[in-house]
Amino acid sequence: MQNNIENKTVIITGASSGIGEATAKQLASKGAKVVLGARRADKLEQIVTDITSAGGEAIYQVLDVASQAENDAIVKLAKETFGRVDAIFLNAGLMPSSPVSALKTDEWHRMVDVNITGVLNGVAAVMPEFTAQKSGHILATSSVAGLKAYPNAAVYGGTKWFVRSFMEVLRMESAMEGTNIRTATIYPAAINTELLETISDKGTQEGMKALYDTYGISPDRIADVVSFALNLPADTTVNEFTVGPANQPW
Ligand code: NDP
């Protein structure tokens, strides 16, 4: 099978753990040049060391996706280091779920800042480049919570529904404008990562933990999906992937 991943420069947000880390490692092993962004420099440094010791190419920059300037800076770094940018995986996110009545309003706003504004900032940072070169691939991690509503996820789910709608319109407009910017939105179910650590509501965390202990699968499965999307020939897009444990009803 042809390797369309080799030599692509791919920026990954939320690359310091979980899905982002697994994806960075897998793409690098297939020959991509990966540019890792997240807030924890020590984690990113270790992942870059792991990748380069295995013969891959990787760099990192500390990134808070809520900042437009920091998104612009990581795109600039990618371009200066590797000559061009082929794809961005907008994966940074957090899920401090709770019932609305708990009124954890700081957490609501933080989810909006990272899960929504973070995606907008990443798109705004790469669009000029992708439009000018008439190619580019924008991938984003939504969630099954972006497809179905469920209790304790009013705000989290809302942020992920936003990603779904935004990415679909982006795909349509790019096709209409002839810019060949492809999109891939991923809707994972239970994936074993650090995500549950962001839940401060005790009851919600216990319920989610029990669910993940029963069903959770490896973040490598999401990396497989990202690889599949990036490996498609330039004239083809698979723009939505719902992926999760085979035994989870979700
Ligand atoms: P993790 O908690 O392991 O990873 C989240 C990543 O996001 C970390 O690398 C974290 O890095 C980064 N991040 C958080 N806030 C920011 C910020 N402000 N700026 C930059 N990076 C940030 O969980 P997952 O790997 O599971 O999460 C990845 C994505 O997958 C999220 O969007 C999540 O909503 C989504 N998802 C996950 C599911 C699951 O079951 N695990 C299911 C459905 C969707 P740092 O703290 O270093 O900044």
Side-chain angles (χ1 to χ4, degrees):
M1 192 177 177
Q2 195 174 345
N3 183 352
N4 292 317
I5 296 173
E6 196 166 15
N7 287 323
K8 275 187 178 161
T9 301
V10 184
I11 299 170
I12 301 170
T13 74
S16 61
S17 62
I19 292 170
E21 175 181 357
T23 304
K25 288 180 171 169
Q26 183 173 130
L27 294 180
S29 77
K30 292 173 187 286
K33 298 160 181 174
V34 290
V35 181
L36 281 57
R39 292 163 308 165
R40 289 171 294 174
D42 54 335
K43 291 272 208 176
L44 294 171
E45 192 174 349
Q46 184 57 52
I47 296 163
V48 165
T49 303
D50 293 347
I51 291 173
T52 49
S53 338
E57 283 190 81
I59 55 171
Y60 78 89
Q61 181 151 302
V62 170
L63 164 72
D64 183 338
V65 293
S67 155
Q68 182 67 63
E70 292 182 24
N71 280 273
D72 294 345
I74 200 167
V75 171
K76 189 162 176 273
L77 172 76
K79 202 180 164 203
E80 282 170 3
T81 309
F82 296 123
R84 58 181 272 129
V85 180
D86 298 288
I88 189 165
F89 180 29
L90 304 164
N91 168 72
L94 68 163
M95 187 185 69
S97 302
S98 58
V100 174
S101 58
L103 292 179
K104 289 185 177 281
T105 53
D106 288 350
E107 293 180 352
W108 299 352
H109 295 301
R110 191 69 196 138
M111 282 189 273
V112 170
D113 289 346
V114 177
N115 301 0
I116 294 182
T117 308
V119 167
L120 294 177
N121 289 342
V123 169
V126 288
M127 276 297 272
E129 196 67 22
F130 285 2
T131 305
Q133 71 195 16
K134 282 200 186 295
S135 77
H137 212 142
I138 300 177
L139 305 97
T141 315
S142 175
S143 167
V144 289
L147 298 171
K148 289 183 183 184
Y150 58 86
N152 299 333
V155 180
Y156 178 72
T159 65
K160 296 301 187 177
W161 279 73
F162 168 84
V163 172
R164 178 189 190 191
S165 169
F166 180 84
M167 291 290 285
E168 175 61 0
V169 175
L170 182 59
R171 181 195 69 75
M172 296 167 88
E173 290 180 354
S174 144
M176 290 159 68
E177 292 166 4
T179 48
N180 199 29
I181 299 169
R182 290 178 289 164
T183 63
T185 310
I186 303 167
Y187 304 93
I191 311 295
N192 291 325
T193 66
E194 297 178 10
L195 194 70
L196 304 191
E197 291 171 23
T198 61
I199 305 176
S200 68
D201 185 73
K202 209 168 172 309
T204 306
Q205 196 188 43
E206 278 167 11
M208 291 300 270
K209 196 168 175 314
L211 183 109
Y212 277 62
D213 286 348
T214 307
Y215 298 115
I217 55 170
S218 165
D220 292 338
R221 304 293 175 270
I222 307 301
D224 293 341
V225 167
V226 175
S227 287
F228 177 87
L230 284 175
N231 198 38
L232 290 165
D235 63 0
T236 304
T237 179
V238 178
N239 48 292
E240 297 209 306
F241 297 89
T242 303
V243 50
N247 62 349
Q248 184 188 353
W250 77 71

